[in-house]
Amino acid sequence: MKTIPVTLKWNKHVYELNIEMGEPATQLKKRVETLTGVPVSRQKLLSKKGGWKGALNNDIIFNESTLSGLSTLSITLIGSAETL
């Protein structure tokens, strides 16, 4: 299955991960929660170049039309981690 490398930036941290073609946005958000501790309900994922406009919607499925012509993707996460 084809994958796209992703650079996720949040709170001065940089994370590297991959998006698989056919993967729903909700699955990506769950992985982001695991990496950062930011709950899905508090996540706002933005992509400057390509991918999508505005915040990532939960109903998006990553495919050729969503990620057309991209070899890599840079995502910025806006949101605060849950504190105990």
Side-chain angles (χ1 to χ4, degrees):
M1 191 149 257
K2 184 178 176 185
T3 61
I4 302 286
V6 175
T7 302
L8 175 69
K9 298 176 184 177
W10 173 71
N11 198 21
K12 298 183 182 179
H13 298 282
V14 177
Y15 302 94
E16 301 294 330
L17 57 140
N18 292 312
I19 295 176
E20 289 187 18
M21 291 296 180
E23 178 179 333
T26 53
Q27 187 174 350
L28 172 64
K29 288 183 173 187
K30 288 177 186 174
R31 286 193 293 145
V32 169
E33 180 178 10
T34 302
L35 285 171
T36 63
V38 177
V40 172
S41 61
R42 293 186 187 173
Q43 291 179 15
K44 185 174 182 180
L45 297 173
L46 305 170
S47 173
K48 287 185 180 181
K49 294 182 181 178
W52 59 89
K53 291 185 179 185
L56 178 64
N57 292 326
N58 287 338
D59 59 344
I60 298 273
I61 295 182
F62 297 109
N63 55 33
E64 291 294 333
S65 64
T66 310
L67 303 172
S68 62
L70 296 176
S71 58
T72 63
L73 184 61
S74 181
I75 299 174
T76 302
L77 169 62
I78 298 173
S80 57
E82 194 154 356
T83 57
L84 298 175

